[in-house]
């Protein structure tokens, strides 16, 4: 009987998922990237996001523990385009020699003045480029699991194709003259370019920017003259500015958009796909009229 029990135990161990210590350590710079990596890597990777749920990657300050995470990583996956301004200091502190993968490689860059717009994930088509870059990176780092990673990426890309159709069908229901949005900072330029919705923001591409009184006054005037129907909060930003603009213009607050961060598991946007679905539902509910 004891021998049979030992045989059963060995069989269970042979088919059980890889233990965390046997998985490839991958560090992603922030929560959205971390979710995409998890979808591609599955149970063959151990993913750590430096900037976690509801964190603001623009103003993040790495902790000493982050240097250890980066030092132990086999891959470091970043967004690039100036998003992670704190990264060079962290790399120096960690002494890491891990390959650094820029997930936005190959994406058509948008610019706001002299600044690159780093928020490329706001277009689902761009998210598919992220997936391809991440797939190629994990395949190169762990060739033995290449087919597993490729199959995961293919399945996830199919979900993103369906998501892209959902977004376009939802936008089509919003009258053309109501496709105007006020948000806190310029995080939705790629969304605007891809789906034909105009976004106006008092802050720049980074939440570090401070809008001037003149900027705010200009936006208030624009809301009134253009009859912009709704303004939107962001999960990573102080709501008081948007609340003030809404109070002074009579525009309604249409809800909260998720721009640079996912939520925890119990929030509205625990995954990238959940985030896009939440945003499009929030926009159409406020703008469709």
């Amino acid at each position: 009987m004891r021998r049979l029990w030992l045989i059963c135990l060995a069989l269970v161990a042979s088919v059980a998922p890889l233990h965390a210590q046997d998985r490839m350590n991958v560090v992603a710079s922030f929560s959205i990237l971390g979710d995409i990596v998890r979808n591609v890597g599955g149970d063959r990777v151990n993913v750590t996001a430096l900037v976690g749920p509801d964190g603001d990657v623009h103003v993040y300050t790495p902790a000493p523990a982050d240097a250890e995470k980066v030092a132990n990583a086999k891959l470091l996956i970043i967004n690039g385009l100036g998003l992670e301004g704190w990264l060079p200091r962290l790399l120096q502190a960690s002494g890491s020699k891990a390959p650094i993968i820029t997930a936005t490689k190959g994406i058509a860059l948008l610019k706001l003045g002299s600044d690159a717009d780093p928020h490329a994930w706001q277009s689902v088509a761009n998210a598919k480029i992220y997936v391809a870059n991440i797939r190629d990176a994990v395949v190169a780092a762990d060739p033995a699991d290449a087919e597993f990673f490729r199959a995961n990426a293919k399945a996830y890309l199919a979900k993103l194709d369906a998501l892209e159709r959902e977004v376009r069908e939802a936008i089509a229901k919003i009258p053309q003259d109501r496709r105007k949005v006020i948000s806190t900072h310029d995080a939705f330029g790629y969304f605007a370019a891809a789906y034909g919705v105009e976004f106006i923001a008092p802050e720049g591409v980074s939440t570090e920017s401070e809008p001037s009184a003149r900027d705010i006054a200009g936006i208030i005037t624009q809301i009134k003259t253009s009859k912009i129907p709704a303004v939107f909060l962001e999960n990573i930003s102080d709501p008081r500015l948007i609340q003030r603009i809404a109070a002074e213009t009579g525009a309604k607050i249409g809800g909260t958009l998720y721009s640079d961060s996912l939520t925890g598991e119990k929030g509205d946007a625990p995954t990238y796909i959940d985030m896009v679905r939440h945003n499009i539902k929030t926009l159409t509910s406020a703008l469709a009229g």
Side-chain angles (χ1 to χ4, degrees):
M1 187 72 180
R2 175 176 171 78
R3 185 182 176 198
L4 179 61
W5 178 80
L6 290 172
I7 291 171
C8 291
L9 187 63
L11 287 170
V12 169
S14 69
V15 298
L18 292 173
H19 294 294
Q21 63 266 30
D22 298 324
R23 300 172 184 172
M24 177 169 59
N25 284 331
V26 180
V27 170
S29 58
F30 69 119
S31 58
I32 294 170
L33 270 186
D35 179 62
I36 297 174
V37 176
R38 289 184 190 96
N39 276 279
V40 176
D43 62 8
R44 311 292 167 89
V45 299
N46 184 39
V47 183
T48 300
L50 295 175
V51 185
D54 290 312
D56 185 350
V57 65
H58 292 287
V59 297
Y60 184 66
T61 301
D66 292 330
E68 184 178 355
K69 294 171 186 174
V70 173
N72 293 330
K74 189 167 183 179
L75 278 179
L76 176 59
I77 298 179
I78 67 170
N79 186 80
L81 305 181
L83 184 68
E84 300 98 346
W86 39 265
L87 184 64
R89 299 189 303 278
L90 178 59
L91 289 174
Q92 185 176 15
S94 72
S96 174
K97 303 299 181 185
I100 300 172
I101 308 304
T102 302
T104 53
K105 179 182 177 182
I107 282 172
L109 177 65
L110 292 181
K111 298 194 79 172
L112 285 166
S114 60
D115 294 324
D117 185 347
H119 306 88
W121 62 84
Q122 289 293 348
S123 155
V124 178
N126 284 346
K128 291 191 281 187
I129 297 176
Y130 280 55
V131 172
N133 287 330
I134 291 167
R135 175 200 62 209
D136 294 347
V138 293
V139 165
D142 180 11
D145 286 321
E147 290 310 309
F148 176 81
F149 296 139
R150 290 188 182 114
N152 282 354
K154 183 178 180 180
Y156 189 52
L157 287 168
K159 292 180 181 178
L160 293 181
D161 285 338
L163 182 66
E164 175 87 348
R165 290 192 294 271
E166 286 180 38
V167 173
R168 293 193 179 280
E169 288 168 4
I171 294 294
K173 296 175 183 176
I174 302 174
Q176 193 72 41
D177 63 347
R178 291 180 63 85
R179 297 180 189 178
K180 297 174 183 177
V181 173
I182 302 290
S183 62
T184 307
H185 84 294
D186 264 323
F188 296 95
Y190 291 91
F191 186 99
Y195 307 116
V197 177
E198 182 183 0
F199 280 79
I200 303 155
E203 296 177 0
V205 296
S206 171
T207 52
E208 290 182 291
S209 304
E210 287 289 338
S212 67
R214 183 177 179 179
D215 292 335
I216 296 169
I219 285 176
I220 288 171
T221 300
Q222 188 169 1
I223 291 172
K224 291 177 178 177
T225 56
S226 301
K227 297 181 180 178
I228 294 173
V231 297
F232 293 85
L233 307 173
E234 287 179 38
N235 66 318
I236 62 165
S237 298
D238 188 327
R240 288 175 295 181
L241 175 58
I242 291 296
Q243 289 167 345
R244 174 188 160 191
I245 290 172
E248 293 194 25
T249 60
K252 70 176 180 179
I253 295 178
T256 298
L257 300 176
Y258 292 91
S259 55
D260 296 30
S261 173
L262 302 179
T263 65
E265 289 185 10
K266 295 182 179 179
D268 293 324
T271 71
Y272 173 76
I273 288 177
D274 290 330
M275 180 190 80
V276 175
R277 283 183 174 146
H278 170 87
N279 284 350
I280 197 62
K281 182 179 179 181
T282 301
L283 288 168
T284 52
S285 294
L287 302 178

